[in-house]
Amino acid sequence: MAKISPLMAVPGVVFAGFVGLALVGMFREDPDSLPSAREGQPAPPVVLDEFPGKQMFSDATLRDGTVKLVNYWASWCAPCRAEHPNLEALSKEGIPVYGINYKDQLANAEAFLNELGDPYTAIGRDEKGRMAIDWGLYGVPETYVVDGEGNIVLRWAGPITQRVIDKTLRPAMEKAAAQ
């Protein structure tokens, strides 16, 4: 009689593990969203390089008592170009939008803002992407709702569309302002 090796069960166990992970992912509250470990926590320190000719912001700015958006963007990012008019509209409404130019060449970033407009209350550059790591950045564009105490209320990975503004950002900003 031939012996059956216990190693023969390994492929079945691995497959069952993958199926279990897929089921958990499929039945999340919002399967399209990317979870953020930073939501509900204080925003990480602001460590940015200067964007010449633009106002900088700091940790104190994020804790100034007002709800704000922090937007990571880059000139080489096509979705950043698509979301830009929506950021400008939010800025015109009086919502403070703070920009972080991510891993970009200064000349390209300046040309981007000169062409499309500058919706940012203040802006800095994260040339090496170190601050982005602390914030848990997945990719650009990414926008964070930060409450008046400097806590991250919401992270939105992807371009800001009118639907995102109406269904996700505004409710998060209103909730943060009411606290």
Side-chain angles (χ1 to χ4, degrees):
M1 182 172 216
K3 285 186 162 184
I4 298 176
S5 170
L7 292 176
M8 290 180 67
V10 170
V13 170
V14 170
F15 178 74
F18 282 129
V19 168
L21 286 173
L23 288 173
V24 167
M26 285 175 32
F27 293 108
R28 287 190 333 214
E29 188 174 313
D30 182 0
D32 293 329
S33 71
L34 293 170
S36 173
R38 291 288 181 190
E39 285 181 15
Q41 296 181 3
V46 174
V47 182
L48 294 170
D49 298 315
E50 180 185 4
F51 197 110
K54 304 289 183 184
Q55 183 176 334
M56 284 281 290
F57 66 99
S58 66
D59 289 325
T61 308
L62 297 184
R63 291 154 180 77
D64 67 1
T66 61
V67 176
K68 62 201 56 69
L69 300 177
V70 175
N71 176 255
Y72 276 87
W73 65 280
S75 65
W76 45 262
C77 163
C80 296
R81 183 173 286 273
E83 81 171 357
H84 203 79
N86 291 315
L87 292 174
E88 284 199 306
L90 289 168
S91 180
K92 285 178 184 167
E93 284 180 32
I95 297 168
V97 182
Y98 294 89
I100 301 173
N101 183 239
Y102 175 72
K103 291 187 173 183
D104 207 350
Q105 292 183 9
L106 180 59
N108 294 343
E110 288 173 329
F112 181 94
L113 293 177
N114 288 336
E115 177 187 346
L116 299 177
D118 183 356
Y120 301 111
T121 304
I123 189 169
R125 300 180 66 226
D126 189 10
E127 282 186 87
K128 294 188 168 96
R130 296 198 194 284
M131 186 171 138
I133 292 169
D134 293 339
W135 280 66
L137 189 78
Y138 179 76
V140 288
E142 224 168 87
T143 303
Y144 297 80
V145 175
V146 179
D147 70 13
E149 296 175 6
N151 297 310
I152 295 175
V153 175
L154 174 83
R155 168 183 163 233
W156 181 261
I160 301 299
T161 62
Q162 191 58 51
R163 181 175 183 176
V164 169
I165 291 170
D166 295 339
K167 302 274 185 193
T168 307
L169 290 183
R170 283 198 199 282
M173 289 186 292
E174 289 167 5
K175 183 179 177 183
Q179 292 179 349

